[in-house]
Amino acid sequence: MDNGGQWKRGSSRPRWLLSLLCCCDDLGRSRLLGAPRCLRGPGAGGQKLLQKSRACDPAGPTPSAPAAPAPRLASANHSAPPKLGTKRLPQALIVGVKKGGTRAVLEFIRAHPDVRALGTEPHFFDRNYGRGLDWYRY
Ligand SMILES: Nc1ncnc2c1ncn2[C@@H]1O[C@H](COP(=O)(O)OS(=O)(=O)O)[C@@H](OP(=O)(O)O)[C@H]1O
């Protein structure tokens, strides 16, 4: 199931990209883009894309003065963080045309610690709808 925090279902390259992620606050809007910050990190996915992002603060956080933790995002239908192993439907979708840059959007948002996202598009609505919502939950 888990591959460094990414879920993979199949390996085919889709014509339409549909990626899933959790990123909404109580108002149904993302707070991920509010405060600019350096997105580079050793474990971050989309390293190539992130390298094109804005330059990091050269000084950066020091071990004696760690950066403030990212704000916890409260979800609209859950008052507490999900238990490990809990499967639920996605709270947000990224929909876009092929070569529209949706992968870049996903990789930037995925860098947030409160976001859990699929590694590949599940194609639920166009190919796997018949599998039902239990299959769609992740
Ligand atoms: N910000 C920005 N500006 C310009 N171009 C950008 C940007 N972000 C992504 N890209 C380019 O978009 C291409 C990937 O788009 P997708 O993620 O939709 O690709 S895919 O359809 O899922 O394969 C891919 O282009 P190619 O390298 O030509 O494939 C990316 O380089």
Side-chain angles (χ1 to χ4, degrees):
M1 166 185 85
D2 195 343
N3 178 19
Q6 299 182 5
W7 276 254
K8 295 183 182 300
R9 284 181 182 145
S11 58
S12 62
R13 201 64 183 153
R15 179 152 186 78
W16 288 78
L17 189 149
L18 180 64
S19 299
L20 313 182
L21 50 91
C22 306
C23 67
C24 295
D25 64 12
D26 288 333
L27 299 176
R29 70 185 177 202
S30 171
R31 287 190 285 167
L32 304 175
L33 306 178
R37 65 186 178 97
C38 174
L39 296 175
R40 294 180 198 169
Q47 202 70 355
K48 182 179 171 186
L49 288 168
L50 295 178
Q51 286 169 358
K52 297 177 183 176
S53 65
R54 74 173 184 82
C56 297
D57 181 353
T62 61
S64 59
R72 299 296 301 179
L73 301 182
S75 61
N77 55 355
H78 297 273
S79 57
K83 298 174 187 172
L84 285 178
T86 300
K87 295 170 68 176
R88 64 187 195 188
L89 294 172
Q91 294 175 283
L93 308 177
I94 300 174
V95 181
V97 297
K98 187 171 177 60
K99 295 296 180 184
T102 42
R103 171 58 60 177
V105 173
L106 173 63
E107 296 301 342
F108 278 107
I109 296 174
R110 189 207 295 278
H112 195 284
D114 285 351
V115 171
R116 186 173 63 159
L118 290 172
T120 58
E121 301 84 7
H123 283 280
F124 176 68
F125 295 101
D126 59 345
R127 296 180 191 168
N128 296 304
Y129 193 77
R131 294 174 185 257
L133 291 177
D134 278 345
W135 181 90
Y136 191 31
R137 288 191 182 93
Y138 66 102

